[in-house]
Amino acid sequence: MKQQYGLRIIRMIALAGLVGFMGAAYTYGQFSQDKKADVEINSKAMPKDIQPAYHEFMEKCSECHEVESSLKLNMESSQWQSEVKRMEAMASSQFNDDQAKSILKFLNYDEALRAFKQKPTSDVTSSDSVMIGRQLYSAQGCDACHSIEGKGGSMGSLDGVGTRLSHEQLVHRLVVPSAGSVMPALPADTSEVQIGNLVDYLLTLKGH
Amino acid sequence: MKSTMRFLNGFMFVIACIFLFSPVPAKAVPQFARRYNLKCSACHTIAPVLNEQGYMFKRLGFHLPPALEKTLAAPSLLQLVEKEPQWSLTNNAALAVADFSFSAERVTQDGTTPSSTSAFQVAAWNAYFGGWIPYTNFFYYSEFDITTGGVTNPQLMNANFGYAGGNAKSSWYVDGGREHLQVAEGTRAAEVYSLLPSSPLLYETTSPTTFVFDQSPVGIDAGYTWASSNYKHVFAATAKVTNGDNVDGSEILGPSARNSKDVWLDVDYWYAPESGVTFVDYYGKKDNLQTDPLGNQFTFSPHIRRQGVFANYKLLSKVDLLGGYMHSDDDWQVVQGGVLSSFIANNYYGAVDYYIVQGLAVSGRFDRLNQKITGPSSVGLQNTHDWTVGVSKTFTPSGNVVGRLAYSDLAGRDPVTAVGNTDKQFQADVAFNF
């Protein structure tokens, strides 16, 4: 009987302590919430070929964290590539290389879109065509192979391509696949206007 | 004294209600998810069922398992520690993991009138405190069970302290204290947790020797874990040597602490994504309070043995097929000093969990228990089987509020007296994890 009494007292003290402690933890928690970045995604406005990639992204990249966590960073195409690869190597991640590619397609598109919405930062002329061309350049993953001002892939610098090649030559280079080249053709549904945008952007690369 | 307790329980209940029902800002999830700004579903398929990431999280001493890319070296656990977010109280304490349930049950037993009951109750209210000591590989974990099955009986169920070393691909840990035999061990089919409200019979049913697997003795626990790139394969082995509980899992507070040893082994193999095999071996020798046919109580010390294999296979990230088998062989004595015979049981279960979308699953399970007592008191081989079907759904994007509906239908005969019984039960419950 005596022992039981002691036990009860100990339990009560433990309980009171715990409730107090949890209360404090809870209150504290109210003031230390992580601030989420505001990320808006308008799926209806997306091009048709991006839609499936978007759904893949929404399904696979919101499994462990909110999509806001995935999108809050501004990253280059090559950075996204390694980030998606890193996520694929997490325990319990359930997507394969093909799905990763599809997700990357969306991420590059989204990144380009947001870059487009932001104010122009570099010395390119502010004409809309150039802006869109620049956006397409990263959305199509050109920077996986090419570098501009030292940034991007290692298969060839495009610095100065605007002086090296003419408008016609550039259009030709993009539209007609050259035999034996590793450079992929543009997607079949790329419009003439979009090609024009890309070329307008490439023509601004007068560099070194 | 009683009235003080009653007051305290009432007081706690009010506090709980204030915390549970006050408007909570977006990110009110338990400490681990809070710590990394992750959803519950990072580590659970649907809480509390763990996935491979949750399993690895525990094995690395409560550090987030990093990406294991083929081309990169696995970080050491000390490097993981450096990357941990700053230690804070809310990152390490969960106020309440509470489960409110409504259940309606109809029980029959040969020779007695059937009885029906229904109840709304706080099925469980537990608080957790767990995490790591800043900048070290030391970790700690405790579970305080405040209310269980509608009964408020505060108990420190788990409290342990340990150290983890090695790197993310090849790690080990040692810890000591009071900890559950099987919780958070094993691959999916061997988990004590299930999407359904009850675990498989082989984990839940009390043997005639009153032994239950669901207990938390005091002891030491050591484990080794190996993981390949992308966590394609994970191999883990764990051993626990414990002491301190009676056969039925109750704490030894009286004078009979002579015989209370457990040895527990668990070998797990995970195969990505989310499939696996577990082998479990348990041996114990513990004091058991037994009642003889004349109603006299006596104590004897049976050997208790359990061996089990469990496996699951997850198809297309959607359909989880699970199965398990466990064999028990316990000593059995009818009267004090009488013949020592055996209680032998073979238990198996098969289950399917179908995850329709993330956070919504339907489940079905069939359990069968074949039980027999050998020797002069034998009433022959008896069996019990149980069907359970259910649906689970998360109610918040992070997955910290989970609702379940389940129906189970059990029928069988008990191995000591061969009395037949049935139990049909409907259960609805909502679990809050804050």
Side-chain angles (χ1 to χ4, degrees):
Chain A
M1 189 60 221
K2 192 140 196 205
Q3 196 193 357
Q4 281 220 337
Y5 187 80
L7 210 72
R8 273 189 182 171
I9 300 248
I10 289 169
R11 273 188 192 152
M12 274 207 305
I13 292 170
L15 198 61
L18 195 91
V19 167
F21 172 71
M22 292 300 172
Y26 178 85
T27 317
Y28 177 78
Q30 302 309 297
F31 297 101
S32 61
Q33 300 297 337
D34 252 24
K35 263 222 157 120
K36 273 185 199 165
D38 290 321
V39 179
E40 46 171 293
I41 310 171
N42 183 356
S43 65
K44 293 214 180 65
M46 278 173 203
K48 272 233 163 57
D49 65 319
I50 297 292
Q51 297 264 0
Y54 164 71
H55 290 296
E56 197 92 70
F57 164 79
M58 287 303 278
E59 190 189 327
K60 300 296 175 190
C61 303
S62 62
E63 213 171 292
C64 304
H65 43 70
E66 308 281 349
V67 288
E68 282 87 345
S69 301
S70 318
L71 290 182
K72 76 173 172 220
L73 307 169
N74 286 329
M75 295 204 279
E76 307 231 337
S77 165
S78 55
Q79 284 175 304
W80 270 121
Q81 198 163 354
S82 60
E83 190 67 0
V84 170
K85 219 167 135 216
R86 190 170 77 88
M87 292 298 138
E88 201 180 337
M90 290 275 186
S92 289
S93 108
Q94 296 187 29
F95 56 93
N96 56 31
D97 288 348
D98 284 345
Q99 287 161 325
K101 258 195 209 128
S102 175
I103 290 166
L104 259 177
K105 191 170 164 186
F106 165 75
L107 287 167
N108 285 329
Y109 164 84
D110 181 71
E111 200 66 61
L113 192 69
R114 277 192 286 156
F116 177 60
K117 282 181 183 160
Q118 278 164 11
K119 289 213 160 7
T121 48
S122 68
D123 50 349
V124 289
T125 68
S126 60
S127 103
D128 280 354
S129 177
V130 170
M131 285 297 301
I132 296 167
R134 187 169 167 222
Q135 187 201 134
L136 279 165
Y137 177 85
S138 47
Q140 295 297 344
C142 308
D143 58 353
C145 296
H146 293 289
S147 66
I148 292 171
E149 288 174 358
K151 274 195 200 153
S154 58
M155 293 184 82
S157 161
L158 289 179
D159 290 328
V161 76
T163 32
R164 218 162 40 241
L165 299 176
S166 68
H167 190 280
E168 277 71 22
Q169 282 170 314
L170 279 170
V171 172
H172 187 81
R173 186 67 197 77
L174 293 183
V175 176
V176 185
S178 50
S181 171
V182 292
M183 181 164 144
L186 285 168
D189 59 355
T190 314
S191 69
E192 270 173 39
V193 177
Q194 284 175 311
I195 294 166
N197 297 149
L198 254 177
V199 169
D200 283 349
Y201 170 58
L202 293 173
L203 282 170
T204 64
L205 305 172
K206 301 281 185 205
H208 329 286
Chain B
M1 192 65 214
K2 256 220 164 99
S3 67
T4 321
M5 273 305 275
R6 204 170 289 154
F7 168 76
L8 205 80
N9 290 344
F11 173 72
M12 280 178 351
F13 186 75
V14 170
I15 298 271
C17 288
I18 291 171
F19 288 146
L20 285 181
F21 299 112
S22 56
V24 176
K27 277 235 92 92
V29 289
Q31 71 268 37
F32 295 145
R34 209 153 31 221
R35 185 192 298 167
Y36 304 102
N37 204 10
L38 291 174
K39 294 198 205 178
C40 301
S41 51
C43 292
H44 301 273
T45 62
I46 292 181
V49 175
L50 284 174
N51 65 17
E52 192 184 8
Q53 176 144 278
Y55 173 89
M56 284 304 300
F57 178 72
K58 188 203 171 212
R59 309 256 344 159
L60 298 180
F62 302 124
H63 294 298
L64 206 57
L68 288 182
E69 292 179 57
K70 272 194 195 75
T71 48
L72 302 175
S76 74
L77 294 203
L78 268 170
Q79 283 169 304
L80 293 186
V81 168
E82 282 159 18
K83 280 201 210 132
E84 284 288 348
Q86 186 123 31
W87 192 97
S88 79
L89 207 53
T90 43
N91 282 350
N92 291 273
L95 159 78
V97 174
D99 190 306
F100 299 87
S101 84
F102 169 79
S103 65
E105 191 173 15
R106 183 173 166 82
V107 180
T108 69
Q109 193 173 27
D110 291 358
T112 59
T113 41
S115 71
S116 297
T117 49
S118 66
F120 176 82
Q121 65 182 18
V122 182
W125 174 19
N126 308 332
Y128 297 85
F129 185 61
W132 78 107
I133 295 186
Y135 312 114
T136 70
N137 279 351
F138 287 100
F139 63 87
Y140 50 89
Y141 181 78
S142 61
E143 174 186 342
F144 195 70
D145 287 5
I146 300 159
T147 301
T148 307
V151 181
T152 299
N153 179 20
Q155 256 186 323
L156 193 62
M157 281 311 289
N158 294 297
N160 53 293
F161 185 78
Y163 184 85
N167 63 52
K169 277 198 171 173
S170 170
S171 65
W172 55 270
Y173 70 83
V174 203
D175 69 50
R178 180 162 195 187
E179 56 191 318
H180 196 279
L181 282 177
Q182 183 73 8
V183 163
E185 304 290 352
T187 54
R188 188 74 49 70
E191 277 183 39
V192 168
Y193 299 128
S194 155
L195 287 182
L196 297 164
S198 58
S199 324
L201 284 183
L202 40 87
Y203 274 136
E204 272 215 340
T205 312
T206 307
S207 108
T209 52
T210 69
F211 176 76
V212 280
F213 220 92
D214 187 7
Q215 59 173 275
S216 302
V218 175
I220 54 166
D221 169 9
Y224 173 76
T225 315
W226 176 85
S228 72
S229 300
N230 287 21
Y231 296 90
K232 182 86 182 155
H233 308 275
V234 171
F235 173 84
T238 313
K240 291 180 192 175
V241 180
T242 49
N243 189 345
D245 277 5
N246 290 315
V247 167
D248 63 358
S250 59
E251 264 174 276
I252 297 170
L253 295 172
S256 69
R258 297 169 289 122
N259 266 312
S260 179
K261 307 258 184 306
D262 309 90
V263 182
W264 179 94
L265 287 170
D266 182 298
V267 179
D268 300 330
Y269 167 65
W270 286 85
Y271 175 71
E274 305 293 306
S275 303
V277 183
T278 290
F279 173 75
V280 176
D281 186 48
Y282 169 84
Y283 168 76
K285 186 165 165 60
K286 302 181 150 204
D287 278 1
N288 186 26
L289 193 63
Q290 175 83 315
T291 308
D292 74 15
L294 297 175
N296 301 317
Q297 287 199 321
F298 66 96
T299 301
F300 78 119
S301 292
H303 293 276
I304 314 248
R305 303 174 192 90
R306 297 282 183 279
Q307 278 113 32
V309 278
F310 301 82
N312 81 303
Y313 184 71
K314 197 158 181 193
L315 266 169
L316 306 166
S317 304
K318 288 236 174 247
V319 182
D320 205 2
L321 304 169
L322 311 104
Y325 166 77
M326 191 177 276
H327 173 75
S328 23
D329 183 348
D330 301 350
D331 287 343
W332 179 254
Q333 196 170 50
V334 183
V335 290
Q336 186 152 29
V339 187
L340 210 58
S341 61
S342 308
F343 160 72
I344 293 183
N346 288 299
N347 319 333
Y348 48 92
Y349 90 91
V352 184
D353 291 334
Y354 173 39
Y355 294 88
I356 300 167
V357 289
Q358 193 191 356
L360 172 65
V362 289
S363 315
R365 182 173 69 215
F366 178 72
D367 275 287
R368 189 176 166 109
L369 246 168
N370 293 335
Q371 296 172 292
K372 185 167 121 186
I373 281 169
T374 65
S377 66
S378 176
V379 292
L381 182 70
Q382 308 295 334
N383 64 62
T384 296
H385 63 262
D386 182 23
W387 276 103
T388 311
V389 288
V391 52
S392 323
K393 179 163 182 9
T394 56
F395 289 123
T396 52
S398 70
N400 66 327
V401 178
V402 182
R404 276 185 309 203
L405 296 176
Y407 175 76
S408 71
D409 185 343
L410 177 143
R413 288 179 185 281
D414 106 86
V416 182
T417 55
V419 172
N421 58 287
T422 66
D423 184 348
K424 294 182 205 303
Q425 190 173 9
F426 168 78
Q427 192 173 329
D429 65 313
V430 185
F432 295 85
N433 301 270
F434 286 95

